Amino acid sequence: GTPLPLEMDACQVSARVRMRPPPWGWVVLALALAAQSSAASADTQVDELLSKMTLHEKVGQMMQIDISLLTTDKLLDKAKLRDWLHKYRPSSILNSPYSGRDCTVAKSGWTAQEWRAFVREAQSEAQALGMPPLLFGLDSVHGANYVSGATIFPHQIALGATFDREIAREVGFATARDTLAAGVPWIFSPILGIATQPSWARVFETFGEDPLVSAELGSALIRGAQSESGDPQLPRAAACMKHYFAYSHPESGQDRGPTWLSDQELRDRYLPPFAAAVKAGVSTAMSSYNEINGVPASASRKWTVDVLREELGFEGVLVTDWGEINNLHSFHKVASTEEGAVGLSMARSSTDMSMVPLSGSFSDHLLRLVRAGTVSESRVDESVRRVLKLKKDLGLFDAPVPLLESPLHQLVGKDGDLALRAARSSVTLLKNHHEAIIPEGGRVCHGVHQGDADQGADLESFGLADGVRTAEACLAKCADNPWCGTWLFLGSWEEAHPDWPVCYLKTQAAQPLPGKGSAEDKSGTCDVVLDEGTLPLKVADLRKVVLTGPTVDSLTYQAGGWSIGWQGACGDADFAGGETVAGALRRLLPDTVEVTQTKGCQIRAPSHASATCAHEEEDLAATLEAAAQADVIVLALGEENYTEKPGDINDLALHPGQVDLARQISAAAPGAAIILVLIEGRPRLLHGIPSLPNVKGVVHAYLPGPHGGTAVAEVILGLTNPSGRLPLTYPSKASAIHQHYQVQSVKCPGSAAAYLSIGVADCPVEFPFGYGLSYTSFRYSNMSSTPRGRVAHPGAFGVSLTVTNTGSRSGRHTVLLFAVQDYRYGVSPEKERLVGFTQVTLDPDESALVTLRVETSQLSYSDEYLNTVVESGEYRLQARSLDLEVAEEIVTVTALAPVPFANDGSGGAPSGHVYGFEVYTPATPWVLVIVGVAVTTACCLAVGAALALRVMRSEEDKVPVKRNWSGTWVQMQSRMNSRNTSRTNLASYMLATGGATTVPRNASHNSLHMHPTPVESAELPRNHLIREESRESADIGANNGTNRRSPHEASPGVDVVIHPQPSASGADDDADEENDLRLRR
């Protein structure tokens, strides 16, 4: 096709592009064929086994039961085991007998050796019955949390705050290794939901609210978990991406509630982590409890077949969550019986295994359905084949009965250093109060400029009566105020408004505007010098420290849910190691500091929705008395342990008792510095606590695990320089809890004096996404992109910048790179989008060049017809340092093969013409691509010849038409397919040289709308109007006449019909009607 001209300032053009095989495609093909040959051998073994299985045995392979069915008093009951294996032949066993955690029993779980003993007995029984090996699975979601003595890591929300792929990979590896030590090769993690509903009880199980962070850290954890373990009998584990799909945004905020989101948002925000996990080779997936726009996930053909299997190419095992197929009947009400629920799931979804989990009902129902012909046996075979292949890949066919001893046993519980490193990297400093000071030599102020200053917070103002009559006098006032960063002198007001202030002192956020305003107006700046801040604490100056609050001394609260038990531990004695915040501070503070510890208040949660933090009068009085005499008060607030449905709440606000405690301490100790520590699984509303006058520091620890107390104490005392950044937006008001950083249009009331059209502003948040302070400072400079200028799509570009540690301490820093598209045609753009992140560790005055690679496909979005579109044009790439200073680089993305983009329906020619292009990933083998290209080329040549022949017949009636908008306009109506049907769009050929260049081969999805496109030197019939219409259009009228096509003529494709325009007199031109040109595919 014709290459896209680079000088297209007036017309921002983009195109639908299909990626073509690279030159080394044949090498990839050869390697793929070799891999397929190896896989074919494995598949043959699976098929042979499958062919010998009875229907009863096959159905059993689709069934997963809970371990409690096989135990009595937390011990293996061999009679139950034999009965279940003989009667149902179940494929998989999940859970721990201690997941319900009976707190009246001292023992909290099985060790790795005890687990192995159970697995050996169960596998031996299965082997004796001639069954395929059993597949054991555990919810190892932050370490092997159901294996006694194993290391428990920070929850995923804390890992999200690290933004560190390597830490995620190492945690995944250690988690899988300790689980494999127990003889269990299936781990139900990572959780890839996007935390956009802060009230949800499982926010802490996610990596936060950003799709890229979830995709990158989730993929890293998967690669770590599925690495070689070091045990030849159980060589690797199978990770499980969950919960598929969009489970993390229940509209009500209640767990398992329905999700109502547009397909555009589902694809752009919630699907990318799962797509990345499939690309990373995840072995299994777990479907979710929720309904997606009214359709339960376990009964959704669209999401589990069309998208998961066909679009994403997932070939692994899909298991339901707990009892979810039965829930189709009892909870979702989409089936009138349990048997009907089984049939519905088999017919509509690609579910391979039902987590039943407490009965044999699934097996009974499915057997009847297959024997009755309602469910085909081939559908069963399809799932069983995937289950057997997974077992083979995990080495279970080679060593179904593992040895009692494993080389992995000596490593269980030995990852405390990794857990501590992860916690240190996650702790996020959200507030550190600084005082502005005037140095001994005075402040440095810069030159006086003619001009105004932009809007910034006013500190003080002075008038002529105050003796301020010159710019120099105003500058002197600024120099005397340590917080003044910008001053403005309005000399033009002296005569007109003698009573008005003429000197304004502003914060450092305001900036001079040289050349603005009258010549008499002057402005300038003074450097603001800050002290070192309240944190880290200056231990040498401390006399008395108070430690208080419900989470200050609790390993149980630090670990949260899914720790020892499903809902968490019974008490700190359940943990093999760790340290609370109070314990660590007591250990690290010198003996010269008097430390007083109180409870403050105690969380009482008969249900989490009604949880309170109650205080006893004596303890509260002691707390306030000690606080009044303290130099520093460490106040640790947060949540109790919970997960899933029991963790539902009715109010996102922090427990009333905790808010009251903070306010009372603040009032009782006005001279003390309060350091607020947050230990919580979701961002509870703080109701102004961080803004209390003596709250000098805020430290967010998330759920850092048993080792997190040490990390928090080290940050408070300066032994660790904090580097965590918020992985989600922390809301400040109940009315704006969905103010996520990407959202463009969520606004709140602005100034009452403003006009209604502009009297709105971004809703306030407590702390924004990506926020996090350090004890040092970093500066960004020399930001650039490679290649410079325009970047072709599909393709990639690099963004480089120099990061310099301008402080006095070494520090680890996460660089976040955002893409901003100011305007997008037809679909509102996100406010900004994270497109890259990385870490750098620098000593004082050290600099490093950081380069981030960005694929142009990362700039894509879904249009209203669900086409994946990347628009050509300028994108602003921004990196913000910790003080929110912005470094920016502009990158222009240019299409190489444009086709028409969606029309707005106005029929007119927009002034800033925009096209879009669609990103495709080849989903077919290279040979098929080549064949497709050849066939498409032949069709194009044939159509081109037919077009030329028809045009020649009306040669005498044609005149040259120069580029202009008045005589031509194009409208293309989209024809939606029920499924993604490959089609070739020849619409762009109708415009000879006016803008279209090439036509995409095998363009999928739907035809796109075309906007008015200028035509240059194209020859068209006189007084004609070009119009593109779908063949389904019933009315192809010309000059108000009728030219109706029978509905039976409708077929896929697009007609290009040249209709005559009315002559000047308005009369019909019958001769021109004979020249109507139809281009049919």
Side-chain angles (χ1 to χ4, degrees), residues 846-926:
E846 184 182 5
S847 297
L849 180 66
V850 173
T851 300
L852 293 164
R853 175 184 169 87
V854 181
E855 301 283 343
T856 56
S857 58
Q858 290 180 254
L859 307 175
S860 68
Y861 68 93
S862 297
D863 69 9
E864 61 180 323
Y865 299 106
L866 302 185
N867 298 298
T868 303
V869 177
V870 177
E871 282 188 5
S872 289
E874 289 187 348
Y875 294 80
R876 293 186 290 118
L877 281 299
Q878 294 184 344
R880 287 187 293 275
S881 55
L882 297 179
D883 59 4
L884 300 184
E885 179 183 350
V886 177
E888 182 172 286
E889 173 74 4
I890 294 178
V891 173
T892 302
V893 177
T894 303
L896 295 182
V899 296
F901 187 65
N903 184 25
D904 61 3
S906 66
S911 56
H913 196 50
V914 180
Y915 285 75
F917 63 94
E918 188 164 14
V919 185
Y920 290 91
T921 301
T924 55
W926 297 114

Side-chain angles (χ1 to χ4, degrees), residues 822-838:
D822 291 321
Y823 299 96
R824 176 185 292 163
Y825 190 78
V827 177
S828 180
E830 60 279 344
K831 189 174 182 181
E832 57 187 357
R833 176 189 301 193
L834 187 69
V835 293
F837 59 89
T838 192

Side-chain angles (χ1 to χ4, degrees), residues 425-455:
S425 299
S426 69
V427 173
T428 306
L429 180 62
L430 296 177
K431 180 178 180 180
N432 189 14
H433 178 73
H434 293 266
E435 290 290 345
I437 60 175
I438 298 179
E440 292 183 4
R443 300 180 65 199
V444 176
C445 293
H446 303 279
V448 177
H449 307 283
Q450 182 268 317
D452 203 342
D454 66 2
Q455 297 299 314

Side-chain angles (χ1 to χ4, degrees), residues 571-850:
D572 289 2
D574 284 349
F575 298 95
E579 196 170 33
T580 67
V581 174
L585 285 171
R586 284 182 172 277
R587 175 176 60 82
L588 294 172
L589 285 169
D591 295 338
T592 55
V593 179
E594 179 184 337
V595 179
T596 301
Q597 183 176 333
T598 68
K599 295 178 181 178
C601 65
Q602 289 181 287
I603 297 176
R604 295 172 181 169
S607 73
H608 298 289
S610 60
T612 60
C613 197
H615 49 253
E616 298 177 1
E617 291 301 323
E618 291 184 5
D619 183 72
L620 178 61
T623 299
L624 298 179
E625 181 181 355
Q629 304 174 29
D631 303 311
V632 171
I633 301 160
V634 177
L635 174 61
L637 306 179
E639 294 186 294
E640 70 280 14
N641 42 297
Y642 60 85
T643 191
E644 293 198 55
K645 194 65 178 172
D648 281 349
I649 55 176
N650 299 321
D651 188 351
L652 190 58
L654 197 61
H655 307 135
Q658 297 191 61
V659 176
D660 182 60
L661 175 66
R663 290 174 175 165
Q664 289 196 55
I665 290 175
S666 176
I674 298 175
I675 308 303
L676 174 65
V677 176
L678 297 173
I679 297 176
E680 57 186 4
R682 54 193 154 194
R684 303 300 290 260
L685 300 178
L686 300 176
H687 288 298
I689 295 176
S691 300
L692 293 173
N694 45 352
V695 173
K696 305 297 186 181
V698 178
V699 177
H700 199 335
Y702 312 94
L703 292 181
H707 298 273
T710 305
V712 171
E714 290 178 350
V715 166
I716 291 174
L717 299 179
L719 301 177
T720 293
N721 191 352
S723 61
R725 303 188 76 161
L726 272 177
L728 44 71
T729 302
Y730 203 115
S732 64
K733 297 183 181 299
S735 60
I737 63 174
H738 299 302
Q739 180 68 4
H740 309 299
Y741 88 94
Q742 287 191 354
V743 176
Q744 179 77 266
S745 57
V746 176
K747 301 291 183 181
C748 287
S751 169
Y755 292 107
L756 291 178
S757 60
I758 60 172
V760 294
D762 289 341
C763 294
V765 299
E766 198 74 65
F767 304 103
F769 171 84
Y771 188 70
L773 303 174
S774 172
Y775 294 149
T776 190
S777 56
F778 298 92
R779 186 183 73 244
Y780 294 168
S781 60
N782 304 325
M783 191 170 182
S784 63
S785 61
T786 304
R788 299 288 294 175
R790 298 181 183 273
V791 178
H793 174 81
F797 56 90
V799 177
S800 300
L801 68 155
T802 299
V803 182
T804 302
N805 184 342
T806 57
S808 59
R809 296 183 52 144
S810 297
R812 174 183 176 272
H813 176 63
T814 296
V815 178
L816 302 181
L817 182 67
F818 296 88
V820 178
Q821 187 180 9
D822 291 321
Y823 299 96
R824 176 185 292 163
Y825 190 78
V827 177
S828 180
E830 60 279 344
K831 189 174 182 181
E832 57 187 357
R833 176 189 301 193
L834 187 69
V835 293
F837 59 89
T838 192
Q839 286 78 37
V840 61
T841 300
L842 299 172
D843 292 328
D845 298 322
E846 184 182 5
S847 297
L849 180 66
V850 173

Side-chain angles (χ1 to χ4, degrees), residues 6-40:
L6 294 180
E7 55 284 342
M8 299 194 69
D9 298 326
C11 299
Q12 295 176 323
V13 179
S14 55
R16 212 187 216 186
V17 174
R18 182 175 179 85
M19 300 177 186
R20 300 177 181 177
W24 35 265
W26 292 109
V27 177
V28 175
L29 178 60
L31 294 175
L33 291 175
Q36 288 177 1
S37 176
S38 176

